[in-house]
Amino acid sequence: MADDHVRCTYNDVHKLIAKASERIQSEFKPDVIVAIGGGGFFPARVMRTFLKDPSTKRNIPIQAIGLSLYESLPDTTEEQLGNMVVRTQWLGPPNNLLGRRALIVDEVDDSRTTLQ
């Protein structure tokens, strides 16, 4: 059965992330990665392999936030599912991103509502 899906191997994905990381490092130079969970954890972790602090040559840190758009959580209504992003984990004042070059990583941006 033929369909329009593109099927990538882990190696394909790893290579795509490596290539994107080169451009991100040269054009943006992030000093922290913010992974949007759950889907952003994997690409953020792989990307961290390639993104280094230029002065120390060490990996840059990853912070994590939890957002849910499609998952049924306690206190969410049917109207909210797929329409309203719910914060399940957020960065507090000790992890303030003000003045940081934060790279926000998610696996897909299908709704354009994740960061609203």
Side-chain angles (χ1 to χ4, degrees), residues 74-89:
D75 300 325
T76 57
T77 65
E78 288 296 318
E79 294 81 33
Q80 290 173 314
L81 289 176
N83 295 309
M84 188 177 113
V85 176
V86 177
R87 292 182 184 181
T88 58
Q89 176 180 323

Side-chain angles (χ1 to χ4, degrees), residues 58-98:
R58 297 176 124 178
N59 291 357
I60 63 175
I62 295 177
Q63 300 290 326
I65 61 174
L67 301 175
S68 177
L69 180 60
Y70 301 111
E71 183 181 2
S72 180
L73 299 169
D75 300 325
T76 57
T77 65
E78 288 296 318
E79 294 81 33
Q80 290 173 314
L81 289 176
N83 295 309
M84 188 177 113
V85 176
V86 177
R87 292 182 184 181
T88 58
Q89 176 180 323
W90 201 248
L91 301 172
N95 298 315
N96 200 324
L97 298 177
L98 288 176

